[in-house]
């Protein structure tokens, strides 16, 4: 009798706890949804209130991870707006936050690399273009971008390697063809002059 009562009591407690948890989860989900709606409205304003949108979606995502993609999108939106206003460091920071959430999004890498180029941070831009090429190995634009960065850094060999890859994919790519001519000229200028095997005989005086 006592065992039966204890079993019934534990079962009832378990059901109550489950119902409370479900109720709490529903309440949390509703609150997250409310925050996300307000964040979306802030992002749609003209002009968008990106700071408010980021704050609201950050809170919504903390409650419900399903809103993480939206948080990445508003980080990306604020980053793009900062880049347009030439606030490149702020843009880079926001694109970095977006990539923490969506680490395989080529568009965000491309936007961050473009901002890094604006502040002459060629090493970081090079790393981002390399990530892009891992994601899309045969994308001509990304190979051209990286070849350009290598050229700026005076890394002629790697720039030529990427340029050759572009021309293999698109033999008529004018940007790559022009760069190849420049690189060939640089390589020719770097080649050491070969000394003649024997010195010319002095001219005989009359």
């Amino acid at each position: 009798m006592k065992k039966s009562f204890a079993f019934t009591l534990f079962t009832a407690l378990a059901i109550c706890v489950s119902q409370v948890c479900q109720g709490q989860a529903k309440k949390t989900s509703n609150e997250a949804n409310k925050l996300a709606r307000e964040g979306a409205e802030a992002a749609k304003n003209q002009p968008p209130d990106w700071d408010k949108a980021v704050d609201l979606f950050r809170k919504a995502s903390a409650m419900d991870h399903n809103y993480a993609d939206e948080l990445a999108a508003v980080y990306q939106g604020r980053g793009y707006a900062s880049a347009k206003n030439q606030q490149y460091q702020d843009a880079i920071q926001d694109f970095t936050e977006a990539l923490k959430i969506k680490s395989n999004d080529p568009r965000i890498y491309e936007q961050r690399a473009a901002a890094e180029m604006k502040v002459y941070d060629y090493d970081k831009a090079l790393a981002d273009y390399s990530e892009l090429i891992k994601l899309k190995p045969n994308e001509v634009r990304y190979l051209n971008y990286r070849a350009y960065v290598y050229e700026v850094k005076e890394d002629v060999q790697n720039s030529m390697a990427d340029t050759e890859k572009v021309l293999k994919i698109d033999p008529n790519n004018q940007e790559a063809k022009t760069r190849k001519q420049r690189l060939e000229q640089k390589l020719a200028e770097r080649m050491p002059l070969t000394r003649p095997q024997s010195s010319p005989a002095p001219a005989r005086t009359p």
Side-chain angles (χ1 to χ4, degrees), residues 99-125:
L99 283 169
K100 288 178 183 177
I101 302 167
K102 298 181 72 176
S103 60
N104 291 324
D105 190 316
R107 182 61 181 155
I108 305 174
Y109 276 112
E110 186 174 349
Q111 289 173 323
R112 186 171 71 174
E116 288 161 345
M117 290 291 289
K118 290 292 187 179
V119 295
Y120 310 107
D121 197 339
Y122 298 123
D123 289 335
K124 287 185 179 178

Side-chain angles (χ1 to χ4, degrees), residues 44-68:
K44 290 177 183 176
N45 286 340
Q46 292 301 325
D49 189 343
W50 290 115
D51 292 345
K52 183 178 179 181
V54 166
D55 182 58
L56 289 167
F57 272 110
R58 190 189 292 125
K59 291 176 180 176
S61 180
M63 292 182 175
D64 186 341
H65 192 66
N66 289 327
Y67 292 105

Side-chain angles (χ1 to χ4, degrees), residues 17-34:
V17 170
S18 176
Q19 288 175 343
V20 169
C21 288
Q22 288 176 4
Q24 185 62 38
K26 185 175 181 181
K27 182 180 178 182
T28 300
S29 179
N30 288 340
E31 181 64 19
N33 188 42
K34 177 176 177 291

